[in-house]
Amino acid sequence: ASDVYKRQDNGISVNMYVYPMPLKIITFNPRNSYGEAVNKVIQLDFNHPVHKVNGKYIYIYNLLSNNSIETVAKIDVMSENVVIDNDNSILTVTIHPPNDLPNNTLDGNTNIYVNIDEGAFSSDFGKFTGINSIDQPEDNNMIITFGTVSANA
């Protein structure tokens, strides 16, 4: 859908069509970094106000040193662990993992991946396309992955 604006310019009637940007994440934190605290919250900043969609989930995975994948958390988008702040110029979704994130202290490397179901968030401009950081990283323009360190490191 587009908005149509009509105006007169030097006696010539002009129709302008404005197409809104689709719903997308514009920034996230932590951003593909290492050395994050195990009690880190995950923040997603959207370009439009969003609301939660029932039956959708956020998954947090730990890619282990043997390349197996451990599910750390499966968070219901409708739960209190997902908080939306649409009251400022940055439209933020904050994800509070229910437990501390793992830290693989044996090898010093912890690789945390975040996947978000398609349609987990919606707005007047459509639904969120989702993030699949593990299975299809080449198909995503946004991959959320970061490393943790123990709280006493």
Side-chain angles (χ1 to χ4, degrees):
S2 65
D3 294 325
V4 179
Y5 297 94
K6 298 179 183 231
R7 74 177 238 211
Q8 291 281 3
D9 192 8
N10 292 332
I12 299 172
S13 181
V14 177
N15 289 340
M16 296 174 50
Y17 296 90
V18 178
Y19 294 90
M21 295 287 295
L23 179 63
K24 67 178 185 173
I25 294 174
I26 52 175
T27 61
F28 57 87
N29 185 18
R31 183 164 183 88
N32 299 338
S33 61
Y34 286 90
E36 300 292 341
V38 293
N39 61 353
K40 183 76 174 178
V41 298
I42 301 161
Q43 291 184 311
L44 313 171
D45 296 331
F46 284 85
N47 61 334
H48 299 294
V50 297
H51 61 270
K52 302 175 182 182
V53 176
N54 195 26
K56 301 296 181 176
Y57 294 89
I58 297 168
Y59 301 88
I60 301 175
Y61 297 107
N62 180 13
L63 182 61
L64 301 173
S65 57
N66 63 359
N67 287 328
S68 63
I69 298 170
E70 168 188 51
T71 301
V72 174
K74 177 181 177 182
I75 303 169
D76 186 334
V77 170
M78 299 300 288
S79 75
E80 63 203 24
N81 294 82
V82 180
V83 179
I84 295 176
D85 179 7
N86 286 328
D87 294 333
N88 56 31
S89 61
I90 301 295
L91 312 162
T92 302
V93 173
T94 303
I95 304 164
H96 298 270
N99 303 306
D100 281 354
L101 297 171
N103 179 42
N104 299 339
T105 55
L106 292 177
D107 61 10
N109 268 333
T110 305
N111 296 303
I112 304 296
Y113 290 84
V114 179
N115 285 8
I116 302 172
D117 281 349
E118 179 179 350
F121 302 103
S122 187
S123 77
D124 292 342
F125 301 98
K127 68 178 183 174
F128 179 59
T129 58
I131 295 175
N132 191 339
S133 297
I134 291 180
D135 293 334
Q136 300 168 329
E138 67 280 355
D139 295 338
N140 288 282
N141 58 3
M142 185 161 300
I143 298 172
I144 301 175
T145 177
F146 57 95
T148 59
V149 294
S150 66
N152 54 6

